[in-house]
Amino acid sequence: GVERGVCDIYDAVEQLQKCYNDWKDNQSRWLKEMGKNGRKAVLENYDFDTCVYPQWKKVFKRMLE
């Protein structure tokens, strides 16, 4: 039941190049912005009690069977 997107390799290379250039130039503005956006998305959309715990509960339940 897991859906995954197909990665555009050219876009992936472009994004990695941006990360590298930002890091290399000691700017880190783009990297910091991406990090903040990622953290915000996690805090808004993921929660241990609703995302993580139910999955672990299933695993442990299956282990006990």
Side-chain angles (χ1 to χ4, degrees):
V2 176
E3 292 184 29
R4 303 216 188 277
V6 177
C7 179
D8 177 337
I9 61 169
Y10 298 105
D11 184 57
V13 168
E14 186 178 319
Q15 299 306 315
L16 288 171
Q17 189 67 49
K18 283 183 183 180
C19 288
Y20 174 75
N21 288 339
D22 196 52
W23 170 80
K24 183 181 78 172
D25 296 338
N26 288 323
Q27 297 294 319
S28 296
R29 286 187 294 251
W30 189 77
L31 289 173
K32 286 179 183 174
E33 180 182 339
M34 295 299 288
K36 286 179 185 178
N37 290 342
R39 173 115 173 106
K40 181 181 175 191
V42 167
L43 292 174
E44 289 175 357
N45 300 303
Y46 298 96
D47 175 73
F48 181 85
D49 293 331
T50 58
C51 295
V52 179
Y53 176 71
Q55 299 302 317
W56 279 106
K57 186 177 177 181
K58 288 179 192 176
V59 170
F60 290 132
K61 192 174 185 177
R62 287 176 51 198
M63 288 170 59
L64 294 172
E65 292 176 348

